[in-house]
Each structure stands twice: as structure tokens, then as C-alpha cells.
Amino acid sequence: MVNKKTHGVLLLHFNGSTSAGTSVYSALLLLQHVESLAAHPLLAAQVLAYAEIAGLPVQYGLYSAFMGGIIYTLLGTSKDVTLGPTAIMSLLCFSVVGGQPNRAVLLSLLCGLIQAVMALLRLGFLLDFISFPVIKGFTCAAAVTIGFGQVKNILGLKGIPQKFYLEVYYTFYKIAEARTGDVVLGVLCLVLLVIFMIMKTNLGSDNSPVFSRVTRKLLWAVATMRNALVVVAASLVAYSWEVSGHHVFTITGETSTGLPPFRPPPTSDITANGTIVTFGEILEGFGGGLAVIPLMGLLESIAIAKAFASQNDYRIDANQELLAIGVTNIMGSFVSAYPVTGSFGRTAVNSQTGVCTPVGGIITSVIVLLSLAFLMPAFYYIPKASLAAVIICAVAPMVDYQIVLKMWRIRKLDLVPFVVTLLMSFWQVQYGIIGGVAVSGALLLYNMARPQIKVSDHGILVMELSSGLTFPATEYLSHFIHTQALQVSPPRSVVLDCHHVSIIDFTVISELKDLLRQFKLRNVQLVLFRLQPNVLEVLLAADLQGVRYTDSLDDVLQMESESLLDN
């Protein structure tokens, strides 16, 4: 038998029975379709769990899951990305709307409008101001917050506050009230999910015999569908106990049946005591979330799209991606969706199945719509402990403890925005991001205000600037020159090496004018060395009196020697 691959399809040629070869070939083709379809059953289990994180009824997870597949097919630039609810966006949504469905839907509309306007204005570059330590601090905090937030469902506890520090305290305080059925089922689901995850990562190489390859593909499909399989199995167990009259588990309960109506999102809300909350009051309640959620939605999706574009050798358009997310959130709000973004887990499965276009998202959307139309009654018996297990396993890989060691080894100062983001995110998620960006910005400004200056002595002082020269650095540079050259006895001439300086502003020009006057009073020189053309153009336009420019250090040394002889 000779095996060879052509265009990604395994061709089998048997020297013996043709029917045997045809049967195995057909089996492998069938398994390729199983791989493709395996990406979709896990969707329903995940989005139901993510709705729990957002504090919304589970059907809102499905409402939010189907519009992205349709819109992204039309507007997206990545063949792999799948838009839908995610753990991080669900947590952000909960932190802003507190699990109120009408406000979550309105938030989707407003976020979509902001993202669409940003795309039209080509403002995707704003993501450049969110540093990697801030992103890692946020994702680690989000993973811990989300994961621990599900412990109460594993234990079957009720009446636990939503604030993280209160949640930790009351979870341990009420641990004696844990329900045995929920604990046993939740732990069993966790163990099964971990076993499936380990099994998927240890399936071996492709250089195996044919039937081992078939078995491995079956195992891959089962491991990929692990979330759906575990939730279905747990639901069957819960159903069997419920129909026998034993309420052993905490189950999801009644959910809305059928497709959501297509209608504009509500612009007002009514509280439990009947008070009407106006649109303006809702906006005020959203606060900084209206800035954080659109940016984080874009950040999460763009990061995923770029990662898979690099892996699969194609490019994406960041502003077009932003438009796709924005339109998805706008249209999603008309079908009662809350804000969505790119999902790493589902995108990874999509990529592994070898999709060639974003049209695969339409299949996802159809499956979600079918679930809404026909399967909602079955969701009644889903145990909350099983959904909690799915969430914990989904967010656990986001806790990257090794990044702390790497930052400590490479640049310890980067730990500052990381720690600030991490700790503040436990208080309020959006405050963590804002705090981290503020600290990163402060460090960036500090580096601009305190550029490194390398000094060498060639008879005259040569000061080489290691970075640009703008107004925050002006006072520091002036003080450094005064200390090193003008306040010593006798005063020293200075050559300011500017070959790293690509921009100069009016404040710097003004300070240079004063420095030139100080040097002239002391009968020493200030020479500007190796100026870039655009900087020289600005200096010439400023018409500074007494300034000297040169591209040769020897010329400067000769000028200094002549000046000393004259004196």
C-alpha cells in the first residue's frame, strides 16, 4: 500500500481489495465532515455558560451567537474567526449592566455604533495604547474572577454577592450549605473535561497506520465536542432524578422558547419596583463601560484574527474587522443580543477543521437558530454545575503565571502596569483596564521626559540622545547640559549628537535658544551633530542665532582647537 497526500486529502491505494480501500477512504472523508461539524455542538454549551457569566437568562447566549456568523461572512477579512459571546465580554457586560437584559441589549447597540464609527474614522490605531502587560493583567484577572465566580454553582450555593471580594468571602462563609448533588456532578464534569482536554493534546502524530488514524480522528471529534457531550450527559442525569421526584441538582429552569422577535432595542428600562429608568439615566449608569467594552471587543477579536492570519499565511484589515464587529453588535441588538467579539476557542476549532472561507459561520448560525426553535425546552434540565465546569475549563488557560517570570527577567518595570491592572480588575473590570492604560501611559511619558544620554569625552563633551526630543524632555536635557558642561570650571563645549532625533517641537527650539545664549556668555560652543533632514529643516526655519551644525566630529574638534588657540 502507498500513502500520499494530495491537496490535504489522504489518497489510499491498495494492492489488494479495491472495496476495502474505498471503504476506508469513505470513512476518512466522513471523519473530515465530523471534524468540521464538531466545532458547532460545543457552541451551544459554551454560549449558555457565557450567558451565566453575563448574569442573563441562558437563552440570551444563543440570541447573541447567530448574528455574528451571518454578518462576518459578509464583512470579515479572516477565514477562521467566529464572532459570538465570550467569557471576557460576558464579564465586562455584567460589570456594566449587572445582569439586566434590556440594558445588555441596549449596550450592544451603543457598542456597535461606537465600533462602526471608529471603523469609518479608521481609529483602530487606538489599540496601540493598550500595552501587552495591561492585556495580560486583565485576562488573568478576568479568568480568576470568572472561574471563582462559578465555584458557587459547583457547590450549589445561593445568595452570593457579585462583587469579587464579597464573592470570595461569602463562598467560603457558606460552604457548609453546599449541595452534595451539585458538588459531585460539578467535580465529575470537571474531571471528564480535563481528561478530554488531555486526550486531545496527546493524540499522536499523523504517521500512524490507517485504522489508527481513523480512531484518532474519532477521538479528536469526541474531545472537541467535550463541552456538549458533558452538558448533555449531565442533563440526562438531572432529568432522570427530576422525573423520579428527587431535586438533587440546581438546574437552569424555565427558558424562553422560540426565536427572538426582530425589534429595536429598548431605550428605557423598568426596575423591579416599577420605576422607569430613562435613556439618559441608563447612559450615566454605563459610565466608562461605553469606552472600555468597544475597545476590548476590538482588541480581543483583532488579536485572535492576527494570530490565525499569521498561522495560516494571510492578512486581515483591522478597520474592516472593526466594522464587522460593529455591524454585528448593531444588528444583534435587534434580536436581543448582548455585545460579542471574536472567540478564541471556537476560532481555533474552526482553523483546525481547515475552513477556507468565513461561510462556515453561517452553519454555526443555522445550528443556533435550530436550537432556539426546537431545543429550548431541553435546556430546562441543564444543571448549573455542568455549565460552571465548562466555564472553568474554558478560562483556566487564560491564567498565564509564567508571564510574570518573563517580565521580571526581561523588564521588571513592565510588572507595574500588569499588577495595577490585575488588582484593580478585581475591584471593577473596566477600572483595571483604565488604570493599567494610565500607568502604561505614565511610564511612556516618563521615558519620553527622561531620555538616556550617553556622554563621551573627546576634549569636548559629546552627548548622544538615545531617543526623540520633544517638550517633556526639554527641562531634563537643559539641566543635564548645565550640570555637565556649564556649571563646571572651566565650562565645556558640547556636541549634541541628534541622529536618533526624528522630531523636534517649539518648546525645544525655545530652550535651545536659551542654551545658545548661555554657551556664548561662557565662550564655549554648542554644536548640533548628525541632524536628520526634517529636524534640520525645522531648525533652519527657526533661524537660531549662533547655532552650528555638522556631520563630522573631526570638524567640530578642529573648530574647538582653533577656538582654544584664539583664546
Side-chain angles (χ1 to χ4, degrees):
M1 182 181 74
V2 178
N3 297 342
K4 59 182 179 179
K5 284 187 176 181
T6 304
H7 301 297
V9 179
L10 183 66
L11 300 181
L12 308 174
H13 300 279
F14 286 84
N15 295 329
S17 168
T18 304
S19 60
T22 303
S23 299
V24 176
Y25 178 64
S26 300
L28 287 173
L29 285 178
L30 177 61
L31 283 171
Q32 285 182 334
H33 290 292
V34 170
E35 281 184 336
S36 181
L37 291 173
H40 304 295
L42 98 154
L43 171 67
Q46 276 190 337
V47 298
L48 294 175
Y50 291 154
E52 284 278 324
I53 298 174
L56 301 172
V58 292
Q59 66 267 20
Y60 280 84
L62 292 171
Y63 294 165
S64 307
F66 68 85
M67 189 60 75
I70 299 169
I71 300 296
Y72 196 82
T73 299
L74 302 174
L75 297 178
T77 60
S78 168
K79 71 180 182 64
D80 300 299
V81 167
T82 300
L83 296 185
T86 66
I88 288 178
M89 286 303 289
S90 298
L91 178 64
L92 284 169
C93 181
F94 178 80
S95 70
V96 173
V97 303
Q100 300 176 78
N102 286 347
R103 299 188 193 188
V105 173
L106 179 60
L107 180 64
S108 178
L109 173 66
L110 296 175
C111 287
L113 289 172
I114 292 170
Q115 289 167 331
V117 170
M118 287 175 63
L120 295 175
L121 296 178
R122 307 189 71 79
L123 296 180
F125 72 91
L126 291 175
L127 291 181
D128 297 341
F129 293 94
I130 304 178
S131 66
F132 185 75
V134 172
I135 296 171
K136 295 305 292 185
F138 165 68
T139 54
C140 287
V144 172
T145 303
I146 293 167
F148 192 86
Q150 298 306 310
V151 172
K152 62 179 182 290
N153 289 329
I154 294 282
L155 300 176
L157 300 177
K158 295 182 179 179
I160 304 295
Q162 299 294 342
K163 291 283 187 182
F164 178 72
Y165 50 90
L166 292 176
E167 191 172 48
V168 173
Y169 173 78
Y170 279 101
T171 297
F172 286 105
Y173 180 76
K174 292 189 172 187
I175 199 167
E177 302 174 16
R179 293 165 57 96
T180 305
D182 288 322
V183 173
V184 171
L185 183 65
V187 171
L188 184 60
C189 289
L190 278 172
V191 170
L192 287 173
L193 288 170
V194 170
I195 290 172
F196 281 136
M197 289 171 65
I198 295 172
M199 184 176 70
K200 185 175 180 180
T201 56
N202 293 280
L203 289 177
S205 65
D206 288 336
N207 301 320
S208 307
V210 175
F211 292 104
S212 295
R213 178 179 170 83
V214 173
T215 304
R216 189 171 59 256
K217 282 182 172 287
L218 281 172
L219 292 175
W220 185 93
V222 170
T224 301
M225 294 188 292
R226 61 186 178 273
N227 291 339
L229 293 175
V230 166
V231 170
V232 169
S235 301
L236 291 174
V237 171
Y239 174 76
S240 65
W241 281 94
E242 287 290 322
V243 295
S244 65
H246 297 88
H247 305 294
V248 178
F249 309 107
T250 303
I251 58 177
T252 300
E254 199 68 45
T255 57
S256 298
T257 304
L259 301 177
F262 188 86
R263 63 188 178 195
T267 55
S268 62
D269 199 10
I270 301 176
T271 61
N273 60 9
T275 304
I276 296 177
V277 184
T278 64
F279 179 71
E281 291 172 330
I282 294 175
L283 282 183
E284 186 178 348
F286 287 166
L290 277 179
V292 171
I293 292 182
L295 279 176
M296 289 310 299
L298 171 61
L299 178 65
E300 190 173 0
S301 191
I302 293 295
I304 292 167
K306 283 186 175 180
F308 285 93
S310 175
Q311 177 181 312
N312 297 321
D313 196 26
Y314 63 88
R315 296 189 63 80
I316 63 162
D317 183 335
N319 285 295
Q320 185 68 24
E321 291 291 302
L322 180 53
L323 181 63
I325 300 169
V327 174
T328 296
N329 280 322
I330 291 171
M331 296 304 297
S333 69
F334 284 81
V335 290
S336 301
Y338 67 90
V340 302
T341 185
S343 165
F344 185 85
R346 296 192 297 276
T347 299
V349 174
N350 229 18
S351 177
Q352 289 170 13
T353 59
V355 294
C356 297
T357 70
V359 176
I362 294 180
I363 301 174
T364 300
S365 300
V366 170
I367 290 175
V368 172
L369 289 172
L370 290 173
S371 299
L372 281 167
F374 302 109
L375 298 180
M376 292 305 289
F379 296 156
Y380 180 95
Y381 295 101
I382 295 178
K384 288 192 174 183
S386 65
L387 293 179
V390 169
I391 293 171
I392 291 171
C393 287
V395 300
M398 292 163 55
V399 182
D400 187 2
Y401 61 89
Q402 292 183 343
I403 198 67
V404 177
L405 300 176
K406 291 178 182 177
M407 283 190 282
W408 178 265
R409 186 173 65 252
I410 296 171
R411 188 170 183 263
K412 296 178 179 62
L413 199 59
D414 283 335
L415 284 170
V416 177
F418 173 84
V419 171
V420 169
T421 305
L422 181 75
L423 296 180
M424 290 187 69
S425 293
F426 290 135
W427 173 34
Q428 282 283 352
V429 176
Q430 60 267 37
Y431 293 163
I433 299 167
I434 294 170
V437 170
V439 171
S440 294
L443 292 175
L444 180 64
L445 290 174
Y446 180 82
N447 290 332
M448 292 174 60
R450 296 292 183 270
Q452 292 184 357
I453 302 174
K454 181 181 178 182
V455 180
S456 55
D457 195 335
H458 296 268
I460 60 176
L461 296 179
V462 178
M463 299 184 180
E464 180 182 348
L465 294 168
S466 64
S467 60
L469 186 56
T470 52
F471 69 90
T474 304
E475 185 61 31
Y476 174 74
L477 176 63
S478 178
H479 177 74
F480 189 88
I481 291 174
H482 272 83
T483 303
Q484 299 290 322
L486 297 180
Q487 294 177 1
V488 297
S489 183
R492 307 285 302 275
S493 293
V494 171
V495 174
L496 199 59
D497 189 340
C498 299
H499 76 283
H500 288 307
V501 178
S502 60
I503 186 172
I504 196 168
D505 59 31
F506 188 83
T507 305
V508 176
I509 296 291
S510 178
E511 191 63 35
L512 280 175
K513 183 178 180 181
D514 183 66
L515 282 171
L516 288 168
R517 184 177 61 83
Q518 297 289 336
F519 272 83
K520 186 176 181 181
L521 287 173
R522 292 167 173 79
N523 292 318
V524 287
Q525 300 182 76
L526 175 62
V527 181
L528 301 182
F529 178 47
R530 293 199 292 182
L531 291 168
Q532 294 190 21
N534 59 316
V535 175
L536 179 59
E537 185 179 346
V538 173
L539 289 170
L540 292 173
D543 192 24
L544 295 175
Q545 297 296 319
V547 67
R548 295 185 179 183
Y549 318 102
T550 184
D551 286 327
S552 170
L553 187 59
D554 291 335
D555 291 345
V556 180
L557 295 175
Q558 184 177 352
M559 284 190 296
E560 179 67 10
S561 299
E562 292 173 356
S563 176
L564 290 173
L565 289 174
D566 291 341
N567 291 332

